[in-house]
Amino acid sequence: MVYAIIDYFCAKFLGAKFFDKELMMQVSNTIKTLLQLLILCFSLQSFAISDTEQEGTVSTKEQVDEYILHHLKDSHDFHLFSYSNDAGERKHVGFPLPVILWSNNGLATFMSSEFHHDDNGQVVVERNGSKFVKLHSKIYELDNGATSVSFDEEHHATNAHKVLDFSITKSVVGVLLVGLLMLLAFSSLAKQYGKKKIPTGFGRVLEPLVLYVRDEIARPNIGEKHYRKFTGYLLTVFFFIWILNLMGLTPFGFNVTGQIAVTACLAIFTLIIYTVSGNKDYWMHILWMPGVPVFVKPILAIIELAGAFIIKPFSLLVRLFANISAGHIVVMSLIAIMFTLKKSLGVVGATGLSLVLSFFITLIEVLVAFLQAYIFTALSALFIGMAVAEHDHEHEHDSHGHEVVDAEDVRGDFI
Amino acid sequence: MVTYNLIGAGLIVIGAGLGLGQIGGKAMEGIARQPEASGKIQTAMIIIAALLEGLAFGALFLGK
């Protein structure tokens, strides 16, 4: 039945554009495969979470909070789910990831499985004469002579210090995976243009998206003259964020765009690009705003400098981080209704409520995943456009000699 | 204090809600007046909503 519905929509929306019957079939097949993957992901997600939060293991509010916070944080191993076996032992299913540390005694590498899922500093791993413990998802190096970690009243370690951690954590795996996927998908798309006029296979899904970013985001915001130079960056950042957002909705539990370090890094890229490519007029408008009284100019310069170097990148990074984190928290909290409301609503009632609510919120999250990628790209394009905009025309003046603000200046004012 | 944080969060959400309502409502009016400009209005609406959202999230983030 799903096939019939998809066929209908494919025929309705794509039929007008693709006159070739064979082309249409290929496109509809690709969309079918994608949809099947999506449905599979959703069902697996609820399966994975219901498996993790077994009855009796996650029941109280504190445990739910802890579980959600644990999901939001980055981790050193790739944890899929846990269960308790018949003997009451806790078993964890997942795979370890490499830990790479730069300690006082130089480089130390080992697999995260050597910590045996310990997160309280109990298990000590020794490499190159340094001892390491894992404490609240951070790796500490014990001071000389210490054999185990000791705590003060506030549960801070007293005889251990942080080390430079270059580990391949779960988020790093996510970033590398998306990088690889994008490299494969887009290099094959690019190669196809050499041979034929139109791409085939999966490239046919990607081409309209690429054109959308170019024609709807890059061109109108940056301007006809300069947009080609920046389209590459905008495309990369758009697909990077979008695919990572969607991966966050799969049962693997990636929360990469919900890590503030990742979004900060993306915002810094945008900051560097619009700062470096800013032209004379841009710096003139920041440092010595034309058309205002002299005593206002320094004040405006301070505001504009703060806007260009702090507010713009900060708003970019916080928006993406907060949206994705909030989405994850909401989805996980709604799933946790299953356990928190079990007493008052009964098993069937609580499960049904949680299922319905989390299903619809997950659908909204799919929309948010796209919207946040779009907004990040559009605002990056807008900021770059403001930096490269050319004011080659003299500002218009009305009959009294006052300057008439043009549309571009007004657009810059509210940011 | 946790309570003050929560009151602050509530105030932020009220403000952001009022702002988003204004943006959405005016955009709807604009689209109703000029349906042929709906694409442009939508883009501008989303960008302004995003800026507002950034501000609101920034405030929530700092207040946490």
Side-chain angles (χ1 to χ4, degrees):
Chain A
M1 198 198 81
V2 178
Y3 273 34
I5 296 171
I6 296 164
D7 269 340
Y8 171 75
F9 278 109
C10 283
K12 196 168 179 204
F13 292 121
L14 301 174
K17 286 179 195 164
F18 298 97
F19 293 104
D20 191 343
K21 187 86 179 167
E22 197 185 332
L23 285 185
M24 211 177 93
M25 280 308 291
Q26 278 181 6
V27 171
S28 85
N29 276 337
T30 319
I31 292 173
K32 265 181 215 165
T33 322
L34 279 176
L35 272 176
Q36 277 166 348
L37 270 177
L38 208 69
I39 291 167
L40 190 72
C41 278
F42 284 142
S43 47
L44 267 177
Q45 184 184 28
S46 43
F47 172 71
I49 290 170
S50 60
D51 229 19
T52 319
E53 301 183 15
Q54 264 196 352
E55 191 183 336
T57 55
V58 177
S59 50
T60 64
K61 194 171 172 296
E62 287 74 33
Q63 277 171 316
V64 169
D65 285 355
E66 196 184 310
Y67 190 81
I68 293 174
L69 282 179
H70 176 77
H71 166 78
L72 288 179
K73 272 197 287 187
D74 199 4
S75 67
H76 281 89
D77 48 7
F78 203 107
H79 179 233
L80 289 175
F81 60 91
S82 313
Y83 65 97
S84 302
N85 62 6
D86 296 336
E89 264 181 290
R90 206 80 181 115
K91 293 275 182 192
H92 301 278
V93 177
F95 48 90
L97 296 168
V99 176
I100 304 162
L101 302 168
W102 185 258
S103 65
N104 290 349
N105 298 325
L107 196 70
T109 54
F110 51 92
M111 294 304 278
S112 65
S113 53
E114 299 202 18
F115 284 121
H116 297 289
H117 299 283
D118 168 60
D119 204 27
N120 299 315
Q122 303 296 323
V123 179
V124 179
V125 176
E126 198 168 344
R127 277 289 181 289
N128 301 343
S130 313
K131 297 191 183 71
F132 302 103
V133 291
K134 188 147 75 86
L135 202 60
H136 306 308
S137 306
K138 293 263 190 312
I139 292 180
Y140 291 82
E141 184 186 4
L142 291 176
D143 294 337
N144 284 336
T147 50
S148 68
V149 67
S150 55
F151 302 102
D152 59 9
E153 298 87 50
E154 289 165 338
H155 207 75
H156 293 305
T158 50
N159 60 350
H161 55 268
K162 280 183 186 169
V163 285
L164 281 177
D165 192 348
F166 300 104
S167 305
I168 310 292
T169 58
K170 201 173 173 182
S171 294
V172 178
V173 170
V175 170
L176 292 176
L177 194 66
V178 169
L180 199 70
L181 274 177
M182 279 169 64
L183 196 69
L184 288 175
F186 287 100
S187 59
S188 72
L189 175 66
K191 247 182 254 151
Q192 285 171 356
Y193 282 106
K195 286 177 259 162
K196 292 170 240 145
K197 283 272 156 56
I198 51 166
T200 53
F202 191 58
R204 218 164 265 166
V205 177
L206 294 173
E207 195 196 49
L209 292 166
V210 172
L211 290 181
Y212 174 77
V213 174
R214 191 192 70 183
D215 294 340
E216 303 294 323
I217 299 177
R219 208 197 295 251
N221 285 317
I222 299 179
E224 202 62 48
K225 204 170 171 186
H226 297 283
Y227 80 94
R228 284 188 74 87
K229 208 164 69 181
F230 302 102
T231 307
Y233 170 70
L234 294 174
L235 280 170
T236 313
V237 100
F238 177 80
F239 284 103
F240 183 76
I241 295 173
W242 190 29
I243 298 171
L244 278 175
N245 284 349
L246 287 177
M247 266 168 68
L249 297 172
T250 60
F252 302 111
F254 283 111
N255 185 27
V256 182
T257 35
Q259 305 286 347
I260 202 155
V262 175
T263 59
C265 203
L266 290 171
I268 288 169
F269 286 154
T270 301
L271 169 69
I272 290 172
I273 287 174
Y274 72 66
T275 308
V276 168
S277 56
N279 59 15
K280 204 179 74 198
D281 289 321
Y282 171 70
W283 291 109
M284 187 72 169
H285 273 76
I286 283 185
L287 298 170
W288 206 245
M289 181 73 83
V292 295
V294 179
F295 66 92
V296 184
K297 287 184 181 196
I299 304 168
L300 270 181
I302 294 168
I303 295 171
E304 289 280 337
L305 277 173
F309 291 105
I310 301 165
I311 298 171
K312 279 180 192 171
F314 190 74
S315 74
L316 273 182
L317 82 93
V318 168
R319 181 179 307 110
L320 184 57
F321 160 73
N323 263 298
I324 301 304
S325 303
H328 281 243
I329 292 172
V330 169
V331 171
M332 308 260 316
S333 307
L334 289 176
I335 290 171
I337 282 181
M338 227 180 267
F339 307 99
T340 48
L341 293 186
K342 197 169 68 183
K343 279 205 181 100
S344 49
L345 291 178
V347 175
V348 178
T351 311
L353 184 68
S354 138
L355 205 67
V356 170
L357 289 178
S358 56
F359 177 71
F360 284 109
I361 283 291
T362 312
L363 285 185
I364 290 173
E365 284 303 307
V366 175
L367 178 72
V368 168
F370 177 81
L371 200 66
Q372 289 308 315
Y374 169 80
I375 284 170
F376 195 100
T377 318
L379 286 180
S380 294
L382 195 70
F383 296 157
I384 294 170
M386 282 159 66
V388 298
E390 280 175 20
H391 297 261
D392 46 9
H393 57 93
E394 279 297 303
H395 282 260
E396 291 165 46
H397 294 267
D398 62 13
S399 53
H400 303 291
H402 294 300
E403 198 170 323
V404 176
V405 279
D406 54 5
E408 223 157 53
D409 286 349
V410 174
R411 186 181 64 179
D413 276 347
F414 59 74
I415 290 165
Chain B
M1 282 294 285
V2 181
T3 351
Y4 291 148
N5 279 357
L6 290 180
I7 293 170
L11 288 174
I12 293 165
V13 172
I14 289 172
L18 286 174
L20 282 172
Q22 285 278 325
I23 297 166
K26 299 284 179 194
M28 287 284 169
E29 271 177 30
I31 292 173
R33 279 173 212 270
Q34 269 182 305
E36 67 276 8
S38 60
K40 277 185 182 176
I41 293 173
Q42 255 170 14
T43 312
M45 179 185 78
I46 289 175
I47 287 175
I48 297 170
L51 291 166
L52 189 148
E53 200 186 44
L55 207 68
F57 272 130
L60 281 176
F61 186 69
L62 290 177
K64 201 178 78 175

